[in-house]
Amino acid sequence: MSPIPTTTPKFINPRAKFNFQGRTCSIAGVGSYVPARVLTNAELEKSVNTSNEWIVSRTGIKERRIAAKDEFTSDMAAHAARRAMEMARVTPEQIDLIIVASITPDMPFPSTACLVQQKIGAHRSAAFDLEAACAGFIYALEVGQQFIMSRTYDTVMVIGAEKLSTIVDWQDRNTCVLFGDGAGAAILQNRPNSHGLLTAVMGADGRKSDLIFMAGGGSRCPATADSIAGRRHYLKMEGKETFKSAVQAMQTAAQEALRRCQIDISRIKCIIPHQANRRIIDAVGERLGAKPEQIFINLHKYGNTSAASVAIALDEAVHSGRVQAGDLLLLVVFGAGLTWGAAVIEW
Ligand code: ACO
């Protein structure tokens, strides 16, 4: 009698317990865009009481990109979307749904997703925005994935895009050194030869909604002369508490995602964390037991671009050759809300 072959699976696909009949959700293409204008720490030294030494040692950020006056979130999103479509070899007519994650939409309504739809000519698609601050891209991936797995749609465009320079208080040294503008996009499709997005963890804690917020511009505090004079249309952040919550939430989310796939951190080829602060990334990496060479970092060039952050990093990791077919990736994010998330992807 021949022995029964025993092969250890590379990982567990947590979705296998549902009857998707071989359906998977893979990232067929990625793209990103950052504005041309570079704002260096040396320039910020001239406008607020800060120093390049402080910014680099406390955050790791050296420069960030700032969109032009007439360059909006939807423009950056559309550039990134076109690049992702090119890589995925997808035409605008093929796109069934566009989801844009952003805290800096062009305007409260219509959605930025509708404006992107018009700009890329994807006139057949549905379109909506999703708001989960810096965690928005993973939230959007998980939402988009549902439509692919349920066979509702074949091609979903997921975008993280921000023009944070419009909500940053350029007189507040506590926050203005941290943020930048940009966009990243991914095309989701069923790819029978890949497991694709294996799992995505999403979390939130509204009890800590006062750690990062912008009070003005919504129904609670519409724009008035007083609200503008009170600088309530700018982002406010309690940095220290945010830092602690970020490290804890990112560690927990990442561990939960790995547990679901029954893999150890050493199996991950590339960890792509939210690019907010080098010290947060180092602390999370250490708690996860990751090696520095596993972690992708580009925050020195762009700062924190919120929902665009991991989307831009994913694009750069793929196009720089850091990620090859079959590699396992771990994306992990954290943002206002509070919100957080982690995703494991077989590339
Ligand atoms: N230049 C010089 N000094 C500064 C600057 C600056 N740009 N900013 C703050 N300081 C000063 C402070 O005033 C303080 O001075 P004091 O001791 O005299 O009061 C001192 O530096 C230390 O300030 P801390 O707040 O203790 O600095 P910390 O080490 O915590 O770093 C930082 C601050 C970088 C903001 C950090 O807390 C952080 O990164 N927090 C997390 C941010 C984050 O992850 N956000 C993600 C979500 S964002 C979103 O969802 C949109």
Side-chain angles (χ1 to χ4, degrees):
M1 211 167 76
S2 60
I4 300 164
T6 52
T7 48
T8 319
K10 222 169 101 181
F11 49 76
I12 297 296
N13 183 342
R15 303 199 196 281
K17 64 182 177 219
F18 305 108
N19 187 11
F20 289 121
Q21 296 170 328
R23 187 100 167 157
T24 67
C25 175
S26 290
I27 298 180
V30 283
S32 69
Y33 172 83
V34 289
R37 161 89 168 99
V38 176
L39 177 65
T40 63
N41 291 349
E43 284 176 83
L44 284 171
E45 283 179 355
K46 293 179 194 146
S47 55
V48 284
N49 182 15
T50 191
S51 65
N52 177 53
E53 198 280 326
W54 191 95
I55 303 170
V56 173
S57 64
R58 308 304 288 169
T59 73
I61 300 164
K62 293 184 176 162
E63 55 190 42
R64 67 288 292 145
R65 300 300 179 98
I66 304 295
K69 265 204 165 67
D70 60 353
E71 185 175 39
F72 309 117
T73 298
S74 64
D75 296 313
M76 294 186 277
H79 284 310
R82 285 188 204 99
R83 288 173 182 168
M85 282 160 57
E86 203 178 303
M87 181 177 167
R89 296 170 201 266
V90 159
T91 62
E93 297 74 34
Q94 278 177 270
I95 297 171
D96 298 305
L97 171 65
I98 300 170
I99 307 173
V100 174
S102 185
I103 54 169
T104 47
D106 283 27
M107 44 190 145
F109 65 88
S111 69
T112 301
C114 282
L115 304 177
V116 172
Q117 185 223 42
Q118 184 265 324
K119 283 178 180 159
I120 64 174
H123 303 300
R124 217 179 47 72
S125 74
F128 65 86
D129 287 2
L130 178 158
E131 206 272 73
C134 301
F137 190 69
I138 284 187
Y139 268 63
L141 274 182
E142 175 67 348
V143 172
Q145 176 272 145
Q146 306 290 332
F147 289 100
I148 299 289
M149 298 303 274
S150 65
R151 291 177 157 78
T152 308
Y153 295 132
D154 290 323
T155 304
V156 174
M157 170 82 78
V158 171
I159 303 171
E162 302 283 9
K163 189 175 179 180
L164 295 172
S165 56
T166 56
I167 61 161
V168 161
D169 184 345
W170 293 102
Q171 293 177 15
D172 177 11
R173 71 173 183 174
N174 292 295
T175 52
C176 77
V177 302
L178 303 173
F179 299 99
D181 301 334
I187 303 265
L188 307 183
Q189 285 184 326
N190 170 44
R191 290 259 159 130
N193 297 329
S194 163
H195 288 272
L197 182 58
L198 287 164
T199 194
V201 174
M202 300 191 296
D205 186 354
R207 290 168 298 186
K208 293 185 179 172
S209 55
D210 56 351
L211 287 185
I212 320 161
F213 64 94
M214 188 175 86
S219 58
R220 192 186 292 199
C221 176
T224 61
D226 272 357
S227 75
I228 291 165
R231 308 187 82 73
R232 289 200 283 277
H233 298 270
Y234 293 126
L235 172 157
K236 301 268 185 297
M237 184 173 71
E238 188 58 61
K240 258 197 193 330
E241 276 313 307
T242 303
F243 189 111
K244 282 188 236 163
S245 298
V247 173
Q248 183 60 50
M250 288 168 82
Q251 176 194 356
T252 309
Q255 284 172 337
E256 170 60 13
L258 295 172
R259 188 198 61 76
R260 287 186 194 173
C261 301
Q262 295 184 25
I263 51 169
D264 182 79
I265 190 73
S266 61
R267 301 282 310 285
I268 299 289
K269 176 71 189 305
C270 188
I271 301 167
I272 303 181
H274 177 48
Q275 310 281 317
N277 186 320
R278 178 67 201 244
R279 292 185 296 134
I280 293 178
I281 294 174
D282 290 346
V284 173
E286 200 173 303
R287 286 174 177 218
L288 292 176
K291 296 199 177 93
E293 58 269 27
Q294 286 175 281
I295 304 174
F296 188 87
I297 293 175
N298 65 1
L299 94 169
H300 53 287
K301 297 190 288 181
Y302 309 130
N304 180 352
T305 57
S306 189
S309 173
V310 287
I312 296 171
L314 174 63
D315 178 51
E316 290 196 348
V318 169
H319 283 104
S320 65
R322 277 280 294 266
V323 176
Q324 304 293 330
D327 285 346
L328 291 175
L329 314 186
L330 171 67
L331 273 52
V332 55
V333 295
F334 174 85
L338 299 176
T339 52
W340 57 84
V344 178
I345 300 167
E346 187 196 30
W347 192 252

